[in-house]
Amino acid sequence: MSIKTWAADADESAHMARIIGQKIGFSATGRIEIYETEAEQPPGENPHGYDINFVPYDED
């Protein structure tokens, strides 16, 4: 899964990924990689997530 977040820092971004995952029906476990980039959306009053993407995983 990938998600873009508007957050105060990397810790808040990781926390948001876990919470948003729970709200849409799965658990974000293990390592969460954070990449700090320029925002694609203007800031809002509160932290938020957008552009959630899923990539199928096949162990084979």
Side-chain angles (χ1 to χ4, degrees):
M1 176 191 113
S2 67
I3 182 172
K4 296 177 183 175
T5 61
W6 185 267
D9 56 35
D11 289 337
E12 184 176 56
S13 184
H15 180 71
M16 288 172 56
R18 288 186 179 96
I19 297 300
I20 291 169
Q22 289 175 352
K23 288 185 176 190
I24 59 177
F26 70 94
S27 296
T29 61
R31 190 172 85 193
I32 295 177
E33 295 182 14
I34 307 289
Y35 299 94
E36 294 185 28
T37 61
E38 292 296 319
E40 292 182 12
Q41 290 189 1
E45 290 184 29
N46 298 309
H48 61 278
Y50 58 100
D51 285 347
I52 300 172
N53 293 300
F54 295 92
V55 177
Y57 176 75
D58 186 8
E59 283 190 73
D60 297 338

